[in-house]
Amino acid sequence: MVVKVYGTAYASPKRVLVCLIEKGIEFETVPIDLIKGEHKSPEYLQLQPFGAVPVIQDGDYTLYESRAIIRYYAEKYKSQGTELLGKTIEERGLVEQWLEVEAQNYHPPIYNLTLHILFAPALGFPPDEKVIKESEEKLAKVLDIYEDRLSKSKYLAGEFFSLADLSHLPFTQYLVGPMNKEYLIKSRKHVSAWWDNISNRPSWKKVLQL
Amino acid sequence: MVVKVYGTAYASPKRVLVCLIEKGIEFETVPIDLIKGEHKSPEYLQLQPFGAVPVIQDGDYTLYESRAIIRYYAEKYKSQGTELLGKTIEERGLVEQWLEVEAQNYHPPIYNLTLHILFAPALGFPPDEKVIKESEEKLAKVLDIYEDRLSKSKYLAGEFFSLADLSHLPFTQYLVGPMNKEYLIKSRKHVSAWWDNISNRPSWKKVLQL
């Protein structure tokens, strides 16, 4: 069964794509145009009532929320492709901890930067300079804590690549690329080495080529 | 080994307590006074570098982020106490989806309401009426989607109580209690029945008595 992934032009669905590639799972992509409002169509809202991307369909199983989808496939295909949840329950606990840190601490400021720097023009509202400044300060503080963590272990959850690292790829790519804020990463030695490492994985390069 | 749970006077750590009670796991509580800034002490930051509650210590294993901790214990003690992750990988997928909905859609507006209505005076800043109004509107829209979902299944992830429901308990308790906004729940038939059901579980009543 080929997995259908909706909305893959955007960042969050790319979490799902990189996970599927790491696990060696076949998929096809279904475009959803947020600018045209396709995520608010009645058909789409049947799949994802909050009108967000991504959604996956896998036979008659439908699932949304990118971090839920990547946990589902990492568990369902545990013994296939890259192990993304750690080997023990204790390692998985740390993967979950850093996935939550990404979702609760890293994502809100980087999402605000993305929205106000990259998408405000297309969405027709003026970028809020105060939000941009505060978000960058918040993100810098989070990255200081990452720097300390990554001085002690190669990856966020330990000595193994996991969903916790993977989940950072799409929005950090916006940060170092179109947002021109690579200095936030490069100025921190261990964060910089970690980013070079995870962003050079063949799975991520493949996602960027899609 | 008795699990030590830090900061249990506050809402997020109560997610951990209700989970431990559902699973029949012994614990002791360690008070952390946020008003006095105990979460910013060097000792505490060693345990939780972001300065947030809760943290648990279980022997030499330390874990933070409430939703990571509840996943850890629900998995570690899968066959003990209440099954909180569903019986199949597909059920767990839906538990993860609704845990993410709670974290990403439900929590931000209810957290803002809590901060501006309940904690602004103690924290010494004036409540922002615009934030309060917008947060209530956002929460109401999320609850409309919950109403539809709960008209089709007894609990969020299906016909079984799970971490997804449990994770809503602490902040919704603030909403219906000290915030005097019970009408947001009571005005929605299926949300109201779900709340009556989950908030009357012996585990939650025990947390409220602690």
Side-chain angles (χ1 to χ4, degrees), chain A residues 49-50 61-65 67-69 71-72 75-76 89-94 96-98 100-101 103-105 107 141-142 145-146 148 152, chain B residues 46 49-50 61-65 67-69 71-72 75-76 89-94 96-98 100-101 103-105 107 141-142 145-146 148:
Chain A
F50 296 92
Y61 189 63
T62 301
L63 199 65
Y64 53 82
E65 283 291 338
R67 298 176 192 87
I69 298 168
R71 285 176 172 107
Y72 170 71
E75 183 159 330
K76 184 171 177 182
I89 291 179
E90 279 64 38
E91 284 183 354
R92 175 155 189 177
L94 292 170
E96 295 293 350
Q97 172 184 293
W98 287 100
E100 286 293 322
V101 167
Q104 301 289 330
N105 298 74
H107 185 73
K141 281 186 190 166
V142 173
I145 296 171
Y146 279 37
D148 183 56
K152 294 168 191 159
Chain B
Q46 284 288 324
F50 296 92
Y61 190 63
T62 300
L63 198 65
Y64 54 82
E65 284 292 338
R67 297 177 194 85
I69 298 167
R71 285 176 172 106
Y72 171 71
E75 184 159 330
K76 185 170 177 184
I89 290 179
E90 279 64 37
E91 284 182 355
R92 175 154 187 177
L94 292 170
E96 295 292 350
Q97 172 183 293
W98 286 99
E100 286 292 323
V101 167
Q104 301 290 329
N105 298 75
H107 185 73
K141 280 185 190 167
V142 173
I145 297 171
Y146 279 37
D148 184 55

Side-chain angles (χ1 to χ4, degrees), chain B residues 110-137:
Chain B
I110 205 168
Y111 176 80
N112 276 336
L113 289 173
T114 305
L115 188 64
H116 285 271
I117 297 174
L118 296 187
F119 292 114
L123 293 169
F125 67 88
D128 185 326
E129 292 302 331
K130 185 162 171 278
V131 169
I132 292 174
K133 184 169 174 289
E134 287 174 358
S135 299
E136 184 165 333
E137 286 166 2

Side-chain angles (χ1 to χ4, degrees), chain B residues 61-196:
Chain B
Y61 190 63
T62 300
L63 198 65
Y64 54 82
E65 284 292 338
S66 61
R67 297 177 194 85
I69 298 167
I70 62 178
R71 285 176 172 106
Y72 171 71
Y73 282 109
E75 184 159 330
K76 185 170 177 184
Y77 296 93
K78 200 156 174 53
S79 56
Q80 175 180 318
T82 311
E83 170 58 80
L84 294 170
L85 290 167
K87 286 197 174 70
T88 64
I89 290 179
E90 279 64 37
E91 284 182 355
R92 175 154 187 177
L94 292 170
V95 172
E96 295 292 350
Q97 172 183 293
W98 286 99
L99 262 176
E100 286 292 323
V101 167
E102 186 274 321
Q104 301 290 329
N105 298 75
Y106 191 85
H107 185 73
I110 205 168
Y111 176 80
N112 276 336
L113 289 173
T114 305
L115 188 64
H116 285 271
I117 297 174
L118 296 187
F119 292 114
L123 293 169
F125 67 88
D128 185 326
E129 292 302 331
K130 185 162 171 278
V131 169
I132 292 174
K133 184 169 174 289
E134 287 174 358
S135 299
E136 184 165 333
E137 286 166 2
K138 274 189 199 167
L139 187 62
K141 280 185 190 167
V142 173
L143 285 168
D144 286 343
I145 297 171
Y146 279 37
E147 178 66 6
D148 184 55
R149 169 64 186 172
L150 293 165
S151 73
K152 294 167 190 157
S153 64
K154 190 170 176 190
Y155 297 98
L156 287 169
E159 297 306 320
F160 57 97
F161 178 73
S162 76
L163 291 186
D165 307 295
L166 176 155
S167 194
H168 288 77
L169 284 163
F171 282 91
T172 311
Q173 190 74 50
Y174 280 155
L175 187 79
V176 304
M179 279 198 255
N180 282 317
K181 292 191 180 290
E182 200 175 13
Y183 59 87
L184 286 166
I185 304 296
K186 290 289 164 202
S187 59
R188 292 170 173 87
K189 183 180 153 193
H190 297 98
V191 170
S192 184
W194 167 77
W195 174 251
D196 285 346

Side-chain angles (χ1 to χ4, degrees), chain A residues 19-25 73-74 77-78 80-84:
Chain A
C19 174
L20 294 175
I21 295 169
E22 289 281 351
K23 300 303 284 180
I25 300 166
Y73 282 109
Y77 296 93
K78 199 153 175 59
Q80 175 180 317
T82 312
E83 172 57 79
L84 295 169

Side-chain angles (χ1 to χ4, degrees), chain A residues 98 101 105-106 109 135-152 156 183-192 194, chain B residues 45 49-50 64:
Chain A
W98 287 100
V101 167
N105 298 74
Y106 191 84
S135 298
E136 184 165 332
E137 287 167 2
K138 273 187 198 169
L139 187 62
K141 281 186 190 166
V142 173
L143 285 168
D144 286 341
I145 296 171
Y146 279 37
E147 178 66 6
D148 183 56
R149 170 64 186 172
L150 292 165
S151 74
K152 294 168 191 159
L156 288 169
Y183 59 86
L184 285 166
I185 303 295
K186 290 288 163 202
S187 61
R188 292 171 173 87
K189 182 179 155 196
H190 296 97
V191 170
S192 185
W194 168 76
Chain B
L45 291 173
F50 296 92
Y64 54 82

